[in-house]
């Protein structure tokens, strides 16, 4: 959906988490369907995630990924903002699908955002996340995000499960890569799935960034 004509909205920083696991069917990916009440991408299958909020900058993370993945984010963000995007991806995953990405330990925060972790005695932990891609929503859309997509292996990264707090996603399911292609997907989700394939085939390859420049979509290394 496009926005009314006028000044372009400034993209909001966002974090999204692609949880993967191995099964007898091969690699599976966790996805959910956005409900019809959403203005932005209704009835499309996506990964859990959402906008960074102020408290994410002070998230009680037990750890943070390092190396080239963090470096590529810090080329365009401060380290605090990079950390906040990872925290938002973890928080939204807990809220939307009930998976707690973390490690055992006491949560050093009383903020309501981390209540599911605190009650489960699990610290949110971003050390296992890998950067897959960055995507900025084109101008003129009703919502705009500067979205960072991370991936984590559910078997090693998920320390617990809770009842999800929102109904933003429905029909939450684990799908194979082939099944994902049959679902109604936003263009950006198809791009990110391709980037997931690319990064998994060769982890040394740098994550890439998709955005609109001069009314054309452009893909560049981060």
């Amino acid at each position: 959906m496009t926005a009314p004509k006028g000044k372009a909205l400034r993209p909001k920083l966002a974090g999204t988490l692609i949880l993967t696991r191995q099964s007898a069917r091969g690699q599976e990916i966790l996805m959910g369907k956005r409900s019809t009440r959403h203005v932005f991408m209704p009835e499309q299958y996506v990964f859990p995630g959402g906008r960074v909020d102020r408290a994410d900058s002070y998230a009680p993370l037990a750890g943070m990924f390092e190396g080239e993945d963090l470096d590529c984010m810090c080329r365009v963000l401060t380290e605090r903002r990079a950390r906040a995007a990872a925290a938002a991806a973890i928080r939204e995953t807990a809220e939307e699908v009930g998976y707690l990405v973390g490690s055992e330990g006491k949560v050093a925060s009383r903020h309501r955002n981390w209540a599911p972790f605190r009650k489960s005695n699990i610290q949110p932990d971003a050390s296992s996340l890998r950067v897959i891609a960055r995507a900025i929503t084109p101008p003129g859309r009703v919502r705009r995000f500067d979205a960072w997509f991370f991936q984590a292996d559910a078997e090693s990264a998920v320390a617990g499960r809770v009842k999800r707090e929102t109904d933003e996603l429905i029909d939450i399911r684990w799908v194979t890569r082939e099944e994902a292609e049959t679902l109604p997907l936003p263009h950006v989700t198809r791009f990110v799935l391709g980037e997931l394939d690319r990064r998994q085939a060769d982890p040394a390859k740098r994550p890439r960034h998709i955005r609109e420049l001069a009314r054309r979509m452009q893909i560049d290394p981060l």
Side-chain angles (χ1 to χ4, degrees):
M1 180 179 290
T2 57
K5 290 184 178 180
K7 187 176 179 180
L9 296 172
R10 183 177 180 181
K12 302 288 187 180
L13 185 63
T16 296
L17 185 55
I18 308 165
L19 282 179
T20 60
R21 72 180 185 185
Q22 290 296 324
S23 75
R25 304 195 308 149
Q27 179 174 264
E28 296 179 320
I29 303 164
L30 186 64
M31 304 189 77
K33 183 180 179 181
R34 290 175 63 80
S35 68
T36 55
R37 65 183 176 82
H38 286 287
V39 174
F40 188 70
M41 298 192 297
E43 298 188 84
Q44 301 287 294
Y45 281 82
V46 297
F47 317 110
R51 186 174 67 183
V52 169
D53 69 24
R54 185 176 179 181
D56 291 324
S57 296
Y58 308 95
L61 297 180
M64 178 67 180
F65 56 84
E66 300 176 345
E68 180 61 26
D69 278 12
L70 181 58
D71 289 346
C72 81
M73 294 190 73
C74 290
R75 292 184 185 110
V76 293
L77 298 174
T78 65
E79 187 167 342
R80 172 176 280 189
R81 294 285 280 168
R83 188 177 182 277
I90 291 172
R91 173 180 55 77
E92 292 278 349
T93 296
E95 293 174 1
E96 295 181 351
V97 296
Y99 284 81
L100 304 182
V101 173
S103 52
E104 291 186 11
K106 187 176 181 180
V107 178
S109 172
R110 300 300 300 175
H111 197 282
R112 60 183 177 81
N113 281 2
W114 306 106
F117 291 84
R118 190 167 54 248
K119 292 174 183 177
S120 300
N121 205 36
I122 292 171
Q123 293 177 285
D125 192 340
S127 59
S128 64
L129 272 58
R130 297 179 64 233
V131 176
I132 298 300
R134 178 192 185 198
I136 297 181
T137 312
R141 303 298 171 84
V142 70
R143 299 280 189 277
R144 293 194 72 205
F145 296 101
D146 178 358
W148 291 82
F149 293 82
F150 307 96
Q151 178 267 337
D153 173 50
E155 294 177 355
S156 58
V158 173
R161 290 195 65 181
V162 293
K163 183 178 179 181
R164 60 197 182 100
E165 298 181 357
T166 75
D167 60 353
E168 290 188 31
L169 295 182
I170 58 177
D171 190 28
I172 297 165
R173 59 168 93 170
W174 289 95
V175 297
T176 64
R177 184 69 178 81
E178 293 74 19
E179 288 170 342
E181 289 295 335
T182 69
L183 299 173
L185 302 175
H187 172 73
V188 67
T189 303
R190 291 191 186 278
F191 166 75
V192 173
L193 284 169
E195 293 301 288
L196 177 65
D197 294 341
R198 177 177 170 273
R199 288 277 278 155
Q200 289 184 325
D202 185 354
K205 288 185 177 178
R206 284 173 57 183
R208 296 195 297 181
H209 173 197
I210 187 170
R211 57 183 168 168
E212 182 178 297
L213 291 176
R215 299 188 178 182
R216 296 182 64 181
M217 299 308 294
Q218 182 167 317
I219 299 172
D220 298 299
L222 285 167

